[in-house]
Amino acid sequence: MKLEMRQVAKSFGSRTVLSGFDLDVAAGEVVSFIGASGSGKTTLLRCVNLLEPIDDGAIFLDGDEISRIGRDPNPIRRRIGIVFQSFNLFPHMSVRQNITLALMRVLEKSADEATGTAKNLLARFGLADKLDAYPDQLSGGQQQRVAIVRALAMNPELLLLDEITSALDPELVGEVLDVVRELKGSGITMLIATHEMMFAQEISDRVCFLDAGRIAEQGPPSQVFSQPRDERTKQFLRRVQALGKT
Amino acid sequence: MIPRLPRWDRVRESFFNGERLRDSFPRLLEAFVLDIKIFAWSTPAILALALVLAIARSSRNPALFPIRIFVIGYIDVMRGVPVILWIYLIGFGVPGVGLERPFNSPLLWGSVALVMTYSAYVAEVFRAGIDSVHESQRAAARSLGLSNSQTMRFVILPQAIRRVVPPLMNDLVSLQKDVALVSLIGPIEILRQAGIDKSKFANFTPYVAAAIIFLSITIPLTRTTDHLLARERRRTSATRVR
Ligand SMILES: Nc1ncnc2c1ncn2[C@@H]1O[C@H](COP(=O)(O)OP(=O)(O)O)[C@@H](O)[C@H]1O
Ligand SMILES: [Mg+2]
C-alpha cells in the first residue's frame, strides 16, 4: 500500500510535534524512523492510523484521502496494523481471544475460521502452544509477538511498529526482531519507529531522521548511518553511539 | 460489671427478653422475606440502569453531549439528597397524583425510589472502573477496527467491571439495609413488623431481633467484600512490580 503525507501538522496544545510534514512511502517499502525521544515518532504513527486527528495537511492511502474530517476511521484502520511499545494485549482475554476478537467482530469471520488464522500465525512465529494462555502468563517477548500476530491476523497492507522492543529485556529483543525480519520478505509495507540502530540499518529500505517536527534527513541506511549530511543527524548518531546502542 | 448498673435489669427486660424474642422471631423472619424481595428485584434494575448511566457519562461522542449533561445532573441530584427523602417524595408523591391499582402501590414506588437513588451511586462506581482502564487499551482496540461501542463492550467494560466488584458489593450492603426505609411509606417489612410488635408488648426486644437478622446477612456480605478487595489489591500490586 502506498502512503503519502502532505504538509501534515499536529500539535498538543502549544507543543508542536509535526509541522509541514511530508512523506512518501512506496508499496512494500520498509521505512524506519529514528530520532530523539519526544521527536514525534509515536505521534507520526498514531496519525497514520487515525488514532490522533491531524490539525492540518492530508494523508493518502493509495491516493485515497483518509484524513478527511468526518470519515469513518474503522474501515481504514482494518487495512493498517499497529504494534505498540507496551504490547497492549487485552489482559482479560486469552491469546486466542486477543487475536480472534477483531477477526470475528470486525471482519465477521466465523469462530472456526478466526481460530484457524490464529493457530497458523502463532505456529509461524513459534507460539503454537500459547493459544490458550493469558497475557500475564507470557514473557514480554512472547506478549509482543502475540501483539504482532494480532495485528497481522487482520491481514493489513500497512504495518506500523512503534518501538516494539523498547519495553523488553535485552535477551528478549532478538526473538521479536526475528518476527519483523521474516515479515520483510512478505511484501508488507512497514513503518518502524525504533531505537535499535543496528536493526534499522539491517531491515530498512530507507531511514528517516526526525527532528523539530520534520524529516531532517533521509536516505538508504548505508548513507544515513555512515555519511550523515545533516548536522543534527550527526549529533544524534554520535550520542547514540556514545550510549553503546549501535 | 454491667449487671451491677442500677437499671440493668430493666434494660435486659425490655431489650433482651427471651420470651418476646421467641415470640417475635418467626414473624420478623417472615417479614424479612419482603426485604429480601425488594432487594432482589431492585438490584438487577440498579445495576442495569447504573451501567447505562456510566456508559452515557463516559461517552466521548460529541453528539451525545446533551445526554452527558443530563446524566451528570441526574447523578448529582440523586446523590445530593438523602435516600430516605427520595423514598418519601417518590413513594408518597407519585401515587398521590391518583394512579389506579396496582400503580399506586407504595411498595412499587418505594422500590423505584431505591432504584433511582442507588443507580446514581453505582453509576459512579462503574464510571471509576471505566476510567481506570488505561487509554492504551482503547487505542489497541480501535486500531484493530473495532467501533467505539464494540471497544466498550468487549475491551473496556469487562476489565472495568472486574475491578469494581468490591466497591459494588459495598453499595449492595448499604442497599440491603436501606431497603428497610421503604417501610416508612407503608409496606410491612421487618422494621415495621418489629415496630408493631414493640408497640403491642411495650418491649424493644423485636428491634434487637431485627438487628440480628440484618447482621446475619450483612456480615457475610461485608466479609466477602473485604476478601475480594484484598484479592484485588494483591493482584494489582503483583502486576505493578512485574
Ligand atoms: N497525548 C499527548 N498529549 C500531550 N502531549 C503529547 C501527547 N502525546 C505526545 N505528546 C508530546 O508530543 C511530543 C512527541 O511525542 P512522541 O510522539 O511520543 O515522541 P517519540 O515517540 O518520538 O518519543 C512529546 O513532546 C510528547 O510529550
Ligand atoms: Mg514513542
Side-chain angles (χ1 to χ4, degrees):
Chain A
M1 165 152 46
K2 191 174 74 167
L3 170 74
E4 295 156 84
M5 298 178 77
R6 291 284 167 264
Q7 293 296 303
V8 169
K10 174 72 190 174
S11 321
F12 295 105
S14 61
R15 173 88 173 80
T16 301
V17 182
L18 302 176
S19 68
F21 190 92
D22 283 314
L23 178 70
D24 282 276
V25 179
E29 197 179 5
V30 176
V31 182
S32 288
F33 297 88
I34 60 173
S37 187
S39 58
K41 302 181 291 295
T42 298
T43 305
L44 167 64
L45 298 185
R46 289 173 64 97
C47 286
V48 171
N49 200 28
L50 307 181
L51 283 173
E52 294 289 354
I54 58 175
D55 303 330
D56 201 5
I59 304 175
F60 301 88
L61 280 188
D62 287 339
D64 178 20
E65 184 180 349
I66 60 169
S67 55
R68 220 164 352 98
I69 302 164
R71 225 183 132 162
D72 179 6
N74 295 329
I76 299 159
R77 291 199 186 115
R78 271 169 229 174
R79 305 167 57 198
I80 306 175
I82 183 165
V83 182
F84 304 90
Q85 184 171 345
S86 50
F87 327 144
N88 301 0
L89 292 177
F90 307 131
H92 59 299
M93 292 183 181
S94 67
V95 166
R96 176 212 303 261
Q97 292 168 318
N98 263 280
I99 299 168
T100 57
L101 175 67
L103 289 176
M104 290 162 65
R105 299 293 168 180
V106 178
L107 300 184
E108 300 183 337
K109 303 210 173 178
S110 71
D112 283 348
E113 197 183 343
T115 302
T117 306
K119 280 185 177 158
N120 282 340
L121 283 169
L122 288 171
R124 180 168 152 202
F125 298 114
L127 294 161
D129 57 331
K130 303 299 180 198
L131 185 66
D132 291 306
Y134 279 79
D136 63 2
Q137 299 166 330
L138 302 178
S139 73
Q142 290 167 335
Q143 288 188 52
Q144 191 58 296
R145 283 187 284 153
V146 170
I148 296 173
V149 166
R150 181 174 70 178
L152 286 177
M154 298 296 285
N155 205 8
E157 300 155 69
L158 173 63
L159 191 60
L160 312 172
L161 306 178
D162 186 12
E163 299 210 28
I164 58 172
T165 58
S166 293
L168 295 178
D169 293 334
E171 74 271 19
L172 300 176
V173 167
E175 64 186 68
V176 172
L177 294 185
D178 280 343
V179 172
V180 183
R181 289 187 181 101
E182 157 150 16
L183 288 177
K184 176 164 163 94
S186 71
I188 189 171
T189 313
M190 285 195 272
L191 303 192
I192 305 175
T194 186
H195 271 137
E196 304 275 345
M197 298 302 152
M198 291 287 270
F199 178 68
Q201 187 155 12
E202 164 203 335
I203 196 106
S204 317
D205 300 316
R206 175 158 46 120
V207 175
C208 302
F209 173 70
L210 288 195
D211 188 76
R214 283 168 211 249
I215 298 175
E217 174 160 7
Q218 59 178 317
S222 53
Q223 183 252 302
V224 174
F225 286 112
S226 323
Q227 294 129 19
R229 295 184 205 123
D230 186 275
E231 197 47 46
R232 290 163 299 178
T233 318
K234 285 182 196 164
Q235 262 179 25
F236 173 75
L237 289 174
R238 267 202 302 275
R239 227 177 24 244
V240 173
Q241 248 153 12
L243 289 170
K245 273 214 155 180
T246 49
Chain B
M1 184 75 191
I2 292 173
R4 288 210 206 103
L5 294 169
R7 290 160 67 107
W8 169 246
D9 279 349
R10 275 174 56 189
V11 169
R12 192 175 55 186
E13 173 54 28
S14 36
F15 284 88
F16 303 101
N17 181 319
E19 192 190 334
R20 291 268 56 81
L21 185 70
R22 275 189 296 280
D23 176 61
S24 275
F25 209 81
R27 260 197 311 284
L28 292 175
L29 219 46
E30 207 173 305
F32 191 59
V33 171
L34 182 58
D35 292 77
I36 303 267
K37 279 188 188 160
I38 298 174
F39 180 77
W41 66 54
S42 299
T43 301
I46 288 167
L47 294 177
L49 182 56
L51 199 55
V52 171
L53 291 170
I55 291 171
R57 184 162 183 181
S58 307
S59 141
R60 300 179 182 186
N61 187 340
L64 295 182
F65 181 71
I67 294 183
R68 211 153 53 238
I69 292 296
F70 172 81
V71 166
I72 290 171
Y74 175 86
I75 291 176
D76 285 353
V77 168
M78 285 296 141
R79 297 200 313 163
V81 174
V83 175
I84 185 166
L85 209 47
W86 282 121
I87 292 178
Y88 274 125
L89 289 172
I90 299 172
F92 282 135
V94 178
V97 303
L99 295 173
E100 301 290 324
R101 270 168 63 89
F103 298 108
N104 60 359
S105 142
L107 190 57
L108 170 67
W109 292 104
S111 304
V112 167
L114 279 179
V115 169
M116 289 177 66
T117 47
Y118 264 82
S119 61
Y121 290 97
V122 173
E124 287 298 276
V125 171
F126 279 137
R127 187 172 71 103
I130 290 171
D131 286 351
S132 78
V133 178
H134 198 266
E135 189 58 35
S136 60
Q137 288 286 305
R138 194 183 296 267
R142 297 308 305 273
S143 77
L144 289 165
L146 292 166
S147 68
N148 234 327
S149 55
Q150 287 174 323
T151 298
M152 190 48 106
R153 179 170 156 209
F154 299 114
V155 176
I156 309 292
L157 280 183
Q159 298 185 58
I161 290 174
R162 231 161 280 208
R163 282 180 212 180
V164 300
V165 166
L168 211 58
M169 296 274 292
N170 265 332
D171 278 356
L172 292 185
V173 171
S174 302
L175 173 65
Q176 171 57 36
K177 292 177 290 177
D178 282 352
V179 161
L181 297 175
V182 173
S183 70
L184 296 171
I185 57 172
I188 303 193
E189 51 68 72
I190 185 166
L191 188 59
R192 190 151 173 107
Q193 183 65 52
I196 292 169
D197 283 16
K198 178 218 75 179
S199 306
K200 196 151 58 177
F201 302 101
N203 188 293
F204 286 98
T205 305
Y207 282 141
V208 175
I212 293 169
I213 292 175
F214 270 108
L215 287 175
S216 71
I217 297 283
T218 50
I219 288 187
L221 269 177
T222 313
R223 288 298 108 228
T224 312
T225 307
D226 278 2
H227 172 74
L228 291 174
L229 261 175
R231 205 179 62 180
E232 175 71 13
R233 234 189 330 261
R234 269 199 308 277
R235 209 181 59 76
T236 49
S237 61
T239 345
R240 225 174 283 130
V241 287
R242 187 176 52 210

